[in-house]
Amino acid sequence: LVAGEAFTSDTVAAFGRVSSAELFNLYGPTEFTVHATHAPAGSTTGAVPIGKPVWNAQAYVLDARLNPVPVGVAGELYLAGDQLARGYLGRADLTADRFVAAPFGDDGARMYRTGDLVRRGPDGSITYLGRTDFQVKVRGLRIELGEIESVLTAQDSVAQAVVVARDDERTGAQLVAYLVPAGAGIDTDVLRVGLAAQLPGYMVPAAFVVLDVFPLNASGKLDRKALPQPVFEVRGFRAPVTPVQEIVAGVFADLLGVDRVGLDDDFFTLGGNSLIATQVTARLGMALDAVVPVRALFDASTVQALAARLQSHTGQGARSRLVARSRSAGELVPLSFAQQRMWFLNQYDKSSSAYNLPLGIRLTGDLDVAALQAAIGDVIERHESLRTIFPDIGAGPAQVALETSEMVPDLAMLPVTETDLLEHLIALASTNFDVSADAPLRVRLFQLSTSEYVLALVVHHIAADGWSLAPLARDIMLAYTARTAGQAPAWTPLPVQYADYAVWQRAVLGSEDDPESLISQQIRYWSVELADLPDELVLPV
């Protein structure tokens, strides 16, 4: 019976070479004496599951709001049952933090928050992934250290692995992997390449430290504080040389807010993520007259590597540029494909509020209501999609932009209490839209006191998405600041409106009636890829 530290398949294999005894992996923190789960340590790769609860115990895998997570999804392990301790002697604060009320079982039941990150398999068996307090943020990106450790220990050359975040005065927070070799040694260059094929660039450690054994504390467990300081490799700055390298470095610098980007700088190390990656590839495509897939940036994330990959693709025909186009009075504008889906769902069930996006802004101080109303009018004028309706013209829906004067909201203040505020906000957010006739924006102003207000907005998804809400709030505040000074906002007009994008998208994808169009090619591809799927998917699959 093995307990104490995470049990690996390499240890199981080593034990099997010297003994035929049946081997079990036990798991149980001191607060749940003696053990809470168990599993036979059979043939597996990576970590050995900690198994299922013993007969008088319950194990729950929950999210941050104490809701059970689906099978296969990581969550924190909570334990309940007869073996649960009463608490910590003389530490009421710590007891309250770790021993919490159970939302399951009998009234008054408690459970212990282990702080362990686990995943439950389809058979109910639980696998330990790491500690929740081993979740770190490096350059704004949240990283599960246990996930990196699992990939490391799955490599043939690695027997044990620990990943920590170390602060370096020159480079900031960096990931460091401490390794114990499984055999003769570890080629860290080969290991780095292997990790890059399985993990995003920002999760590949910046340094690898190979040790004969890990330092242990008096309890025989890993002593993280005793791990040696790594030596980070600091490369000298290498400036871009070729035109393509300069373009790639310039795009990185502009979108990531970095003053200087060199050949060896990595997009993810500089703070890039998948959302910014789409902007990078779009700009590079326009600049180089090429189609640049997002995958290229994930495969080659340094300036030098990406420029080398793009060198052979320049001048091979990027898609037509997205530009503003003139529209005659009464001209009907098509919907984008995303809008078309939203329109169908809305018309299918006009009572649904599932695609409403709510935004609440608390305002404190002396409020100039007239200036705020004028500011919202400025924003509605600036963003055409906020004043667009989508009537059915017989052959399908079209976009029709209203005049701003037709829909500037009446900001008559509604007095509410703090207690009732949430109820009013939910009612506003839950009120459905008919996008064929209603403008996709509603605005209300709630007054809590003579100096406290809440400006509430609800936008339908046909006109905005979650990312749009922050720029929307920013524009309202900029316009309000200008209006309180007796001026119109001095912003630069938007280069394109969403209607321009809808027309551009239709032109790029072409018609389904044209077998050579891009949309016809994609339909053929997916028809083949999905040909063998069953007619009905029984969820979950």
Side-chain angles (χ1 to χ4, degrees), residues 268-323:
F268 295 103
T269 302
L270 292 173
N273 56 44
S274 58
L275 289 176
I276 302 175
T278 61
Q279 299 177 56
V280 168
T281 54
R283 290 201 188 185
L284 290 176
M286 291 297 184
L288 300 173
D289 188 26
V291 176
V292 181
V294 175
R295 177 75 194 186
L297 181 54
F298 281 85
D299 291 341
S301 54
T302 66
V303 170
Q304 184 173 31
L306 184 58
R309 177 164 295 204
L310 299 179
Q311 189 73 48
S312 59
H313 296 291
T314 58
Q316 294 189 1
R319 293 165 186 157
S320 60
R321 296 182 67 90
L322 170 58
V323 296

Side-chain angles (χ1 to χ4, degrees), residues 161-224:
V162 174
V163 180
V164 300
R166 294 279 197 185
D167 285 323
D168 183 80
E169 61 183 11
R170 296 162 298 180
T171 60
Q174 297 270 39
L175 294 177
V176 180
Y178 294 89
L179 311 169
V180 173
I186 298 175
D187 187 328
T188 56
D189 290 333
V190 173
L191 187 62
R192 190 187 303 274
V193 172
L195 290 184
Q198 297 178 263
L199 296 171
Y202 66 87
M203 292 180 70
V204 177
F208 295 92
V209 179
V210 180
L211 305 173
D212 294 332
V213 293
F214 285 152
L216 304 179
N217 58 24
S219 301
K221 295 190 175 185
L222 173 67
D223 187 353
R224 290 176 176 266

Side-chain angles (χ1 to χ4, degrees), residues 131-457:
R131 293 285 299 169
T132 56
D133 48 9
F134 293 161
Q135 185 184 73
V136 298
K137 288 187 76 172
V138 177
R139 294 182 177 85
L141 297 167
R142 196 174 299 279
I143 297 172
E144 296 286 358
L145 299 179
E147 188 175 347
I148 305 173
E149 292 170 356
S150 295
V151 176
L152 281 166
T153 54
Q155 310 300 312
D156 292 339
S157 61
V158 178
Q160 294 176 279
V162 174
V163 180
V164 300
R166 294 279 197 185
D167 285 323
D168 183 80
E169 61 183 11
R170 296 162 298 180
T171 60
Q174 297 270 39
L175 294 177
V176 180
Y178 294 89
L179 311 169
V180 173
I186 298 175
D187 187 328
T188 56
D189 290 333
V190 173
L191 187 62
R192 190 187 303 274
V193 172
L195 290 184
Q198 297 178 263
L199 296 171
Y202 66 87
M203 292 180 70
V204 177
F208 295 92
V209 179
V210 180
L211 305 173
D212 294 332
V213 293
F214 285 152
L216 304 179
N217 58 24
S219 301
K221 295 190 175 185
L222 173 67
D223 187 353
R224 290 176 176 266
K225 295 180 180 179
L227 291 169
Q229 285 287 345
V231 177
F232 291 105
E233 178 184 356
V234 180
R235 299 177 179 177
F237 178 80
R238 295 198 300 146
V241 178
T242 69
V244 176
Q245 290 172 349
E246 291 176 349
I247 290 171
V248 173
V251 170
F252 279 18
D254 187 29
L255 289 176
L256 298 175
V258 179
D259 293 333
R260 187 176 73 161
V261 177
L263 289 176
D264 300 309
D265 286 323
D266 184 280
F267 171 76
F268 295 103
T269 302
L270 292 173
N273 56 44
S274 58
L275 289 176
I276 302 175
T278 61
Q279 299 177 56
V280 168
T281 54
R283 290 201 188 185
L284 290 176
M286 291 297 184
L288 300 173
D289 188 26
V291 176
V292 181
V294 175
R295 177 75 194 186
L297 181 54
F298 281 85
D299 291 341
S301 54
T302 66
V303 170
Q304 184 173 31
L306 184 58
R309 177 164 295 204
L310 299 179
Q311 189 73 48
S312 59
H313 296 291
T314 58
Q316 294 189 1
R319 293 165 186 157
S320 60
R321 296 182 67 90
L322 170 58
V323 296
R325 55 187 299 277
S326 59
R327 281 176 258 156
S328 58
E331 179 183 355
L332 296 176
V333 177
L335 280 63
S336 71
F337 286 102
Q339 285 180 321
Q340 187 170 299
R341 292 192 295 274
M342 289 293 158
W343 184 88
F344 172 80
L345 291 168
N346 177 261
Q347 297 301 292
Y348 180 76
D349 183 5
K350 294 182 182 180
S351 66
S352 173
S353 60
Y355 292 97
N356 289 4
L357 301 174
L359 171 66
I361 305 172
R362 184 175 285 266
L363 308 171
T364 301
D366 295 328
L367 180 64
D368 186 335
V369 178
L372 181 59
Q373 184 157 335
I376 292 173
D378 293 328
V379 173
I380 292 172
E381 174 66 26
R382 176 173 172 79
H383 298 282
E384 186 183 65
S385 61
L386 296 178
R387 50 187 169 89
T388 297
I389 60 175
F390 305 86
D392 189 345
I393 58 173
Q399 299 194 51
V400 177
L402 304 174
E403 295 296 326
T404 302
S405 58
E406 297 180 57
M407 62 162 297
V408 174
D410 178 12
L411 284 190
M413 288 187 290
L414 177 63
V416 298
T417 65
E418 283 281 2
T419 305
D420 297 334
L421 175 62
L422 182 59
E423 182 179 343
H424 284 281
L425 293 175
I426 291 173
L428 178 64
S430 303
T431 303
N432 59 298
F433 287 90
D434 176 1
V435 298
S436 66
D438 302 334
L441 172 68
R442 292 197 181 100
V443 185
R444 297 286 187 277
L445 180 61
F446 299 103
Q447 182 179 21
L448 297 165
S449 70
T450 56
S451 60
E452 287 287 327
Y453 309 84
V454 170
L455 178 66
L457 305 96

